[in-house]
Amino acid sequence: MRGGEGRRVLRDAGRASVHLLVGAGLAVVCYVMIGLVLLAAAATLSLIGAGMLPETVRLLRGLAGFERRRTAARLGSPVPERYLPLDRGSLLERIRAAGSDPGTYRDARWLVAHLLYGLLFLYAAMVLWPLGLLVDGVGCGLAGRRPVLLPRIGDLATLQARLSRTLLLPSPSARLAERIDELAATRAGAVAAHGAELRRIERDLHDGAQAHLVALSMRLGLARRAYDHDPASGRALLDAAQDQAEEALAQLRHVVRGIHPPVLTDRGLVGAVRALAAGSGLEVEVTVHGTADGPGKGADGARPPAAVEAAAYFAVAESLTNAARHSGARRASVALERADGLLLVRVRDEGRGGADENEGTGLVGIRRRVAALDGTVQLTSPVGGPTVVEVELPCVW
């Protein structure tokens, strides 16, 4: 084999072989575990060792959890799990939970299947290794061809991981229940965020615009009474009332921008984000990926839903505000991308880092607003920086 490519192929095959070797060892453990499960079931039916069943199922869950972590490491994506709790209630309730949990039956199914394919894949790899070293070593080293057999060892390891993932995934009913729990949590967060937003608007109107309008009414009353006997004083009061009216209008514009910024309606998401960047006080670079017209419009010229635009806009606004106030950064970047039915927003600043979403309400507000639309927020902020806020919003338009 050629130097660099040959080392890479051998390294990948070696890692795959380790995965298969551990899987074969796990198959031997599965053999022992099957006997233990049958013993626990017999003891439970005979009522002699009824307490064995919950503990055996707990041990089975640990073994399946180890395989989930191995599979996730190989495939690069986590394998979710969902079980009924085994540490609540009386012994009879724990036995019922262990015996009626769909997750227990899926783990048992994997236990029997892995006993077979865990060893089978290792035997296949043991056959491929000498043949691969001979065929690929001669073919690639002398003839300059690409390796053929050694990469198949990696395919075997990936196939084993996919089989395990298929067998260990929660049942559709369990995934549906988990989805319902997620929707209930996001709905509660959305209700809390909506209530907080209403209180903020009420506070802004009461402390800002309403106070200015009350003062305006008083000044107009004083001006009317003073105008007949002291026109100069009346005109001065009218000038002050005009200033007060302008302040009230400015406060009302501020409240309206907090509800739904007019710039979003007028210029779309990209234009609104560029306006935010220009007024943030930082050197902000805005990049747009996707089609030529950017995330602001779809391929048919339609704009994304207003709620999605607003969530993305407020996420950028809050992130840039935090960067300007707390990070000590002078530069930041905002990236907008539309891909695979998602609107992706990424805000990065080169500040001191160490941001914590539990401090203050800004990041919590972003997470609640995005979760209400079934999106996700990820914060990365090591001490020393940089701070990166990544938002994914489902958006098909």
Side-chain angles (χ1 to χ4, degrees):
M1 292 183 226
R2 288 170 290 185
E5 184 179 7
R7 286 191 296 271
R8 180 184 60 79
V9 171
L10 287 173
R11 183 172 61 250
D12 293 344
R15 290 175 179 172
S17 298
V18 171
H19 182 88
L20 294 173
L21 183 61
V22 174
L26 193 61
V28 176
V29 178
C30 288
Y31 180 79
V32 178
M33 192 68 202
I34 289 173
L36 186 60
V37 169
L38 293 176
L39 176 62
T44 301
L45 291 176
S46 65
L47 303 179
I48 298 175
M52 282 186 63
L53 185 61
E55 299 306 317
T56 303
V57 170
R58 196 188 306 273
L59 186 61
L60 175 60
R61 289 180 181 181
L63 190 64
F66 174 74
E67 179 65 9
R68 285 188 177 91
R69 292 189 293 273
R70 278 195 341 118
T71 300
R74 180 69 192 180
L75 299 180
S77 60
V79 183
E81 64 179 32
R82 188 174 181 88
Y83 295 116
L84 296 176
L86 294 179
D87 52 357
R88 300 177 186 173
S90 63
L91 176 61
L92 181 59
E93 290 172 336
R94 290 189 289 119
I95 292 174
R96 187 181 295 114
S100 62
D101 187 0
T104 300
Y105 294 100
R106 299 184 80 84
D107 288 352
R109 183 183 63 177
W110 163 80
L111 193 70
V112 175
H114 190 85
L115 175 62
L116 302 175
Y117 70 74
L119 294 171
L120 179 63
F121 283 130
L122 180 65
Y123 295 152
M126 292 172 63
V127 173
L128 282 175
W129 262 110
L131 292 176
L133 291 175
L134 177 63
V135 173
D136 291 341
V138 173
C140 300
L142 299 180
R145 295 195 301 267
R146 298 181 64 83
V148 176
L149 294 181
L150 287 179
R152 303 290 79 78
I153 299 175
D155 295 341
L156 287 175
T158 301
L159 179 59
Q160 185 193 83
R162 288 175 177 169
L163 281 173
S164 295
R165 177 182 175 83
T166 301
L167 293 169
L168 290 173
L169 278 174
S171 64
S173 60
R175 292 199 294 271
L176 178 60
E178 184 176 7
R179 181 61 178 157
I180 291 173
D181 292 343
E182 290 177 0
L183 291 175
T186 57
R187 179 184 179 185
V191 170
H194 179 67
E197 189 71 7
L198 287 178
R199 289 191 295 272
R200 182 191 65 80
I201 294 171
E202 181 183 10
R203 184 174 61 251
D204 290 346
L205 288 174
H206 181 273
D207 298 340
Q210 180 177 329
H212 287 301
L213 289 174
V214 169
L216 172 61
S217 177
M218 293 176 61
R219 289 181 187 275
L220 287 175
L222 291 173
R224 186 177 60 182
R225 286 194 295 269
Y227 194 80
D228 292 335
H229 58 82
D230 189 359
S233 177
R235 283 193 296 270
L237 288 171
L238 287 174
D239 291 339
Q242 183 178 6
D243 295 338
Q244 199 78 43
E246 292 175 355
E247 291 179 7
L249 286 173
Q251 187 67 32
L252 284 173
R253 292 191 194 100
H254 175 74
V255 174
V256 169
R257 282 196 298 269
I259 299 172
H260 187 81
V263 68
L264 267 179
T265 304
D266 298 337
R267 300 171 59 182
L269 179 59
V270 175
V273 168
R274 293 190 191 280
L276 275 177
S280 68
L282 302 173
E283 297 178 18
V284 182
E285 178 186 5
V286 179
T287 57
V288 179
H289 304 283
T291 58
D293 51 357
K297 293 184 179 180
D300 58 355
R303 287 176 55 171
V308 173
E309 279 192 335
Y313 175 87
F314 283 114
V316 174
E318 184 63 37
S319 300
L320 290 179
T321 299
N322 288 341
R325 289 181 179 176
H326 308 299
S327 72
R330 287 185 286 183
R331 291 185 300 275
S333 63
V334 179
L336 303 174
E337 181 177 0
R338 180 164 58 89
D340 299 328
L342 292 174
L343 176 61
L344 310 177
V345 181
R346 187 172 185 268
V347 183
R348 173 189 173 110
D349 70 70
E350 304 296 334
R352 64 176 63 94
D356 184 359
E357 72 172 279
N358 296 319
E359 296 179 0
T361 59
L363 289 171
V364 174
I366 292 176
R367 193 174 294 279
R368 284 178 174 174
R369 187 185 289 269
V370 171
L373 299 173
D374 207 19
T376 60
V377 179
Q378 183 175 357
L379 171 67
T380 305
S381 184
V383 176
T387 296
V388 180
V389 179
E390 295 179 305
V391 177
E392 289 188 2
L393 288 163
C395 186
V396 178
W397 74 93

